[in-house]
Every structure is written in C-alpha cells, then in structure tokens.
Amino acid sequence: MSRTMRISALALRTLVLVVAVAGRSHAAARGVQRPDTARRHAVMATRDDSPAARARRLQQLDHRRRALDSTGKRERTVATSHWFTDTVQAGLFRIATTRRLREGVRRAATALSRELRPSLDATIVDSLRRHLIHVRPLLPEEGRSFGPDRLVVWDEVPYGLYGPAGGEAFLPRDDLRLQLTAIVGAITNRTMDDAMRTWLFNVSVVTVAPPATVETRARMDIATAGSFAARRCVVGDLAACARVLSLRGRPADPAHAWYAPEDYRDLASRLRLAPPDGDEAPRLQRRCLTGDAAACSTLIKRLGPDRLPAPTLEAPRLVLLHEALRLGGDGAITRLRASTGDIGTRLSAAAGVEEDSLLSSWRRRVISQRGARIRPTGEVALATIGWTLLLTGLGLRRTRRCD
Amino acid sequence: MFVAMLRAQWVWTRAIMLFFLAAGFALPVLSVPMSARFGIGWISANGYVEVGGMIGLLVAITVCLAAVALVVQNWSVDDRGRHVYALSLPIARRRYLLYRLGGGFLLLGMLAVAVWLGGAVAAGLLELPESLHAYPASLALRALMAAWLVHAIGFLVRFGAGQRARGVVFGALILLFLFVLLPAETLPAPLTWLSLASRALVLPGGPFGILVSPWSFIDV
C-alpha cells in the first residue's frame, strides 16, 4: 500500500470514529430528557392558545420589556450622572459634558453658533438657551457595540440627526456639529406654527443653506415629479411652480391642478391601495399599469382628491424657505413668524420681495443648473488631469530593466 | 516617427479597439430598446433617470476595460518581440514611451468619440419629457478622462514597476477598494484610518474622483 493510501485510510478511520462518538453522545443526551425540558413540554402541551390568552402573554412580555428598558436606562443614568461635571454655555448652546470633552465641545458649539446666529430670531435663541444638551463619551460596554471613537449626544428634542425619537444618539466625533445643527432645526420646527410645519412635512427647519444634496434632491424631485404642473414649472411657468409647491395650500382638485391624464399611469404606480379603496381599485390599478388610460382615469376619480400625493416632498420647499430667508436678510424669520395668510404670502413677506421674484430666484437656484449633477466639475477635471500627468511622469522615469 | 509608431500601435491593437469602439457606440443606443423591452423607464420621468444611470455605469465599465486592455496588449507585443522593435529605434527610451503613451491616449480618444456618437443617437431615439435632457458630451468627456487615468495607472504598473511592485500595487488597489465599500465603523480601530484614507482617494480632488462621481446620461 502506498504512503498516500495509508494516510487516506487513517484519516477515514479517524473521521468514522469521531462521527460515531458524536452520534453516541447526542443519542445519550436525547435519551435522557432534562427535568426542566420535560416540564416545559408539559406546560406547552396544556397552554391555552386562544386569541385572548395570546394577547395576555404578549402584554406580559411587553411589560417585562419596558421594565427592563427603564431599569437599563436608570442604571445608565446613574452610571453617567457623575460624568456631567461641567455645563458649558457656548454661544447658543447650553451643554452638560465631561471635563475631558469640554474644550472640544465648546469649540464646536461656538463656531456653529457664530454661523447660525444671524439667521435665528429671539424666539429660537431663547428656546435653545433653555434647552440642556448632554454630551458624554461611551461607556465600556457601549464602546464594544458602537466602536471606540464616538460620543453620545442626549437631548429630548425629537427629529435629531439619527431619527425621529429623542433620547441618545451615538455618533462619531466629527458629527457633533451636524447633530447640534439638527437640534437647532428641530427647535426651530417647534417654534413654527402648524401651517408652516405641515407645509414642510414636519421636517427640521435649518435656517442656514441646505447641503448640496438637498438642492440636488430638490432639482430631481421637480424634474421627475411625473406632474404636469412640475413640467410647466421647469419650463418657466411660475404659477405652475406655485401650484407644485402648494403655496396656496393643497388644491381642491389635485387630479387636475397637479396632474394631467398622461401622468395618471405614473401616479397609479406610486399609489398604495388600502381596503377602504374598494375591491375594484386593485383591478383598475393593474389595468392602468398595462396602459389602459380609461382605467387610470376611473381609478383616480374613484380614489378621490385626498388620496393623491403631492408631486414633490420637502426638498424643493426647504430650498424655497431658505431662499426667502436669504433674500430677506436680518429679521426674515421674525417676519415669517409674524405674517399671516397663505404660505406664499408669508414667504414673500419674509423675503421682502414679490412672490414671483421669490419663485424666479428659487427657480434659478434649483432648476436652471442644467446637468449640474453629472457634468464633471472643474475640480474633478483638473484633479484627474493632474493625477494622469503625475502617473505618466512616474511611468517615464528611468529604470534599469526593460520588463 | 510618432505617426509611424501610432500606425504600428493601431495594427497591434485594432481587434481590441474595434471591439471596444463598437461597444462604446452600441451601449447607449442598445440600452434604449432593451430598457423598453424590460419595462424599465417609460412609465415615469424617474425611470428615464434610472436608465441614464444604467447607461453611464455600463460606459464606465467599458472605458476602464478598454484602457486596461490597451495597456496589456500594447506592451505584451513588446514582451513577445523581446523589445527588439523598441531597441532598434533611434530615439531615447523616454521619448519612445512618450510616443507610445500618446498613441494610447489618441486611441482612447476615439473611444470617447464613439461614446459621444452613440449617446447622440440614443438621445435622438428617446422621447424625453421636457424636464429632462440627454448629455452625451458630458458622458463622453467623463469617459475620456477616466480612460486616460486608468491607462496611465496601467502604464505605470506595467512599465514603471517591477514584478513584485506590480503584485503589491494590485493587492493594495483591491484592499483600498474593499475599504471604500466597508463602513469605517465595522473595522477594528487600527484599520479605521485605512478606511478614511481610502475614502480620500475617491473624493473629487482624489485620483479616483472621476470614477465615483455620478456617471449618467440623462439629467435635468
């Protein structure tokens, strides 16, 4: 027998032995049932499985979960309460933090306050100064889950950076400024009236320039809205822009104010039907999506005006709000708060210009930059050419070999 | 001398170049009936934008492959001939390499022209809503710059580095690519800086910024 065959035979015998031993121990374990397993099986066999009993069990589990959550929260609060030794008043913010984080937090908060202060009014500033924000480092067990280099920012304002719930946000150090900005936005939102909050879909209102991603999203939202009014807005119809942005409130007949019959198929593809819509609605929707225009019209009529979504979400409206505040300069947000009437009237009062001028300015900012998203910018082009020349130069340098 | 070398380069690489020229022209054009066939795109304006992104991605892959294939084919001819052609020319090695590079850049320029022509034809076939436009020139310009960059990297690796260095550079590129994909928080602390360094390479001012910024054919 060759050496290879001998080794293979030995490996096979070892494998068979391991499998046999494992099988015997498994059979032994199964054969002797543990007492608590037997009891659990007996309990499960006699458990009441009615809906009422299931609901009671779910409720008990929920009570236990809440009790555990609040216990955990209390323990964490006790563990961390001794940390917040320093309360920093930095610009607009009042922040309780640790001695180690104090300077970094003060720097970030002061720089942000300098940037935001000109666009805020006394109402927002007072609210901010009354609001205490906690910033602490991670507990050891938190560091194991979230990574080493993070902070915990805790406040009770909903709509922070990391979601709609208040409470703790675990974020990288570099995101502290973003979180503080989000808190300012949430507080600004709370100081607004219901009409303005509803118009903005209840998102945070940040009075400084929205990031480039919001402007890009606004541009794409308007251009791809699948709405007759949005298409008219893109080519320059300011009245259509006012309709798309709901400056006069939601129209009484959105099926005609926002959409044309050629948009109904796209609209139908976006609709989420519910049981109150009736049994006929899903069939009409399916026929509509295959191209049956009559089915589309019937479906839209049947659903009614309240079920039709607005052509765009908050991004174009945020940009319009910021444009109004930018044009209005100092005191714009105060004028916005104090003014009455529909949203369009209030925004033009804040901006200090006519509504048409405001919409033209907004249109120039959002729509007129054609192809901005995909055209290579000067920075990218120069960097690419520079790197190409550098790499070419490196490749041309003298070497000793030809390979 | 440059024209003669360009002619020789074309003879060596024409099969590959013709394939990629056809692909560069056909991809934008063929995507129009293909996406209509599979139902993508023509219900809503959003669909057009998605199709434009798909075309852009396919063009990006094509031009990068073309640039790499050109480098590999170009210099493998020298390898097979044991550099007799290069050594027999009465010019300095650096000038020789420069001519070869320039020829490669010109051939890749033809590829960008093919992409532009294909994009222009596709733009004519599409009935875009009035809020959207096709940008074949932007796509072709982006394709040209990306192809030149990838060709320069390939040239450096193939001709400016020894065999071991090539292996190291190739492995490093793969690792950096993985670090860009993986979130920094998922990496152990000593490697987080690698993830951050990788992301710096794909910023607009970095060497790979042109490759990761949006490749699309249709926009507002």
Side-chain angles (χ1 to χ4, degrees):
Chain A
M1 201 190 256
S2 72
R3 189 159 175 262
T4 311
M5 285 180 68
R6 274 202 301 273
I7 293 171
S8 304
L10 181 62
L12 191 60
R13 275 205 295 269
T14 312
L15 184 64
V16 167
L17 194 61
V18 165
V19 167
V21 166
R24 264 208 294 271
S25 58
H26 182 60
R30 279 179 61 194
V32 177
Q33 201 178 38
R34 291 168 50 188
D36 56 345
T37 312
R39 194 164 45 240
R40 201 162 49 235
H41 286 170
V43 165
M44 282 173 69
T46 58
R47 189 171 67 177
D48 181 4
D49 224 14
S50 64
R54 279 206 298 271
R56 266 196 312 274
R57 280 200 298 278
L58 278 170
Q59 207 173 27
Q60 282 163 3
L61 283 170
D62 199 44
H63 283 317
R64 277 185 67 192
R65 182 187 63 79
R66 285 176 200 276
L68 283 169
D69 274 349
S70 65
T71 307
K73 195 172 170 181
R74 265 199 313 274
E75 284 170 2
R76 270 204 314 278
T77 307
V78 166
T80 60
S81 59
H82 65 280
W83 286 9
F84 299 112
T85 52
D86 289 13
T87 300
V88 174
Q89 180 68 50
L92 299 166
F93 301 99
R94 206 158 60 92
I95 303 178
T97 185
T98 67
R99 201 148 285 160
R100 195 162 55 96
L101 296 177
R102 184 177 57 189
E103 274 318 300
V105 164
R106 186 199 297 277
R107 263 199 308 272
T110 307
L112 184 61
S113 300
R114 251 199 308 270
E115 192 184 316
L116 292 179
R117 186 66 184 87
S119 58
L120 302 178
D121 65 357
T123 312
I124 301 171
V125 171
D126 282 342
S127 292
L128 270 171
R129 287 208 170 121
R130 277 198 308 264
H131 190 73
L132 183 63
I133 302 166
H134 295 77
V135 179
R136 64 168 176 84
L138 295 175
L139 293 170
E141 63 270 22
E142 291 167 343
R144 279 194 287 277
S145 303
F146 292 98
D149 200 27
R150 291 204 163 220
L151 299 175
V152 182
V153 179
W154 170 41
D155 71 277
E156 289 176 5
V157 181
Y159 308 108
L161 182 61
Y162 285 93
E168 294 176 324
F170 294 75
L171 44 129
R173 282 171 195 263
D174 292 340
D175 281 357
L176 175 62
R177 197 192 135 90
L178 280 175
Q179 179 70 357
L180 293 177
T181 308
I183 290 171
V184 172
I187 287 177
T188 308
N189 175 286
R190 286 206 305 199
T191 63
M192 293 287 177
D193 52 280
D194 283 346
M196 187 58 68
R197 277 210 297 270
T198 306
W199 181 69
L200 286 169
F201 296 98
N202 226 356
V203 299
S204 291
V205 178
V206 183
T207 52
V208 290
T213 48
V214 173
E215 290 201 16
T216 305
R217 207 164 69 234
R219 188 174 305 124
M220 295 310 293
D221 272 2
I222 291 284
T224 61
S227 152
F228 163 75
R231 288 193 295 277
R232 296 300 311 153
C233 177
V234 168
V235 298
D237 184 345
L238 296 181
C241 295
R243 279 203 307 277
V244 164
L245 296 167
S246 300
L247 296 187
R248 303 279 166 271
R250 189 181 167 88
D253 184 14
H256 292 100
W258 284 336
Y259 303 105
E262 64 258 31
D263 300 324
Y264 288 170
R265 193 175 165 208
D266 174 36
L267 184 56
S269 72
R270 288 188 276 138
L271 287 171
R272 290 221 170 105
L273 299 177
D277 295 327
D279 296 335
E280 190 75 1
R283 197 177 58 81
L284 284 169
Q285 188 182 42
R286 276 194 298 275
R287 278 176 41 203
C288 174
L289 293 177
T290 59
D292 184 346
C296 296
S297 299
T298 310
L299 175 67
I300 299 300
K301 268 198 215 66
R302 192 166 292 213
L303 290 177
D306 290 338
R307 291 282 278 112
L308 301 184
T312 63
L313 290 178
E314 76 280 359
R317 301 182 185 195
L318 277 173
V319 177
L320 179 65
L321 172 66
H322 179 257
E323 191 64 15
L325 296 178
R326 188 187 68 85
L327 289 173
D330 287 344
I333 197 155
T334 309
R335 287 195 296 275
L336 179 70
R337 216 191 292 287
S339 57
T340 54
D342 56 42
I343 298 292
T345 310
R346 293 176 65 184
L347 288 174
S348 63
V353 300
E354 294 296 320
E355 187 177 301
D356 280 355
S357 303
L358 173 61
L359 284 172
S360 294
S361 181
W362 168 83
R363 215 184 136 270
R364 259 194 310 276
R365 186 170 161 179
V366 169
I367 295 173
S368 300
Q369 297 182 44
R370 286 179 44 175
R373 190 176 63 102
I374 61 173
R375 197 178 304 121
T377 61
E379 185 190 359
V380 168
L382 278 174
T384 306
I385 292 170
W387 281 103
T388 304
L389 290 174
L390 175 67
L391 292 167
T392 306
L394 286 174
L396 289 174
R397 66 187 168 79
R398 185 183 294 278
T399 60
R400 287 182 296 134
R401 297 176 300 174
C402 285
D403 63 337
Chain B
M1 175 69 70
F2 174 70
V3 172
M5 285 182 61
L6 180 62
R7 201 176 296 131
Q9 209 165 323
W10 169 252
V11 168
W12 294 332
T13 59
R14 69 181 159 203
I16 291 175
M17 280 311 301
L18 285 174
F19 170 75
F20 280 109
L21 285 173
F25 177 81
L27 274 172
V29 176
L30 285 178
S31 297
V32 172
M34 277 173 64
S35 57
R37 166 78 175 85
F38 291 110
I40 316 164
W42 308 152
I43 294 182
S44 70
N46 229 344
Y48 286 100
V49 175
E50 284 174 14
V51 169
M54 184 184 72
I55 295 173
L57 179 63
L58 290 173
V59 167
I61 293 170
T62 303
V63 300
C64 291
L65 285 177
V68 170
L70 198 61
V71 168
V72 168
Q73 174 62 10
N74 235 343
W75 306 119
S76 71
V77 170
D78 274 349
D79 276 348
R80 281 201 300 273
R82 302 183 73 80
H83 303 276
V84 168
Y85 176 69
L87 293 170
S88 65
L89 291 173
I91 55 173
R93 181 176 177 278
R94 191 166 289 175
R95 181 176 281 196
Y96 169 74
L97 291 178
L98 208 51
Y99 285 168
R100 292 291 288 272
L101 256 183
F105 283 170
L106 271 181
L107 292 174
L108 290 172
M110 286 168 55
L111 178 58
V113 170
V115 167
W116 176 67
L117 286 173
V121 170
L125 291 175
L126 289 169
E127 286 178 15
L128 292 172
E130 51 196 345
S131 55
L132 295 178
H133 301 86
Y135 295 93
S138 283
L139 184 64
L141 180 63
R142 189 181 285 278
L144 179 68
M145 289 195 290
W148 281 355
L149 176 73
V150 172
H151 190 255
I153 293 172
F155 170 75
L156 171 64
V157 169
R158 182 65 188 84
F159 220 86
Q163 210 151 8
R164 195 183 305 171
R166 267 181 241 143
V168 168
V169 166
F170 188 68
L173 281 175
I174 298 288
L175 275 177
L176 285 174
F177 179 67
L178 286 174
F179 282 132
V180 166
L181 287 183
L182 291 172
E185 303 83 56
T186 61
L187 297 171
L191 294 179
T192 311
W193 69 270
L194 264 179
S195 175
L196 296 172
S198 307
R199 282 166 217 279
L201 294 176
V202 299
L203 290 175
F208 301 117
I210 189 77
L211 295 174
V212 299
S213 43
W215 284 73
S216 185
F217 171 54
I218 295 172
D219 195 50
V220 177

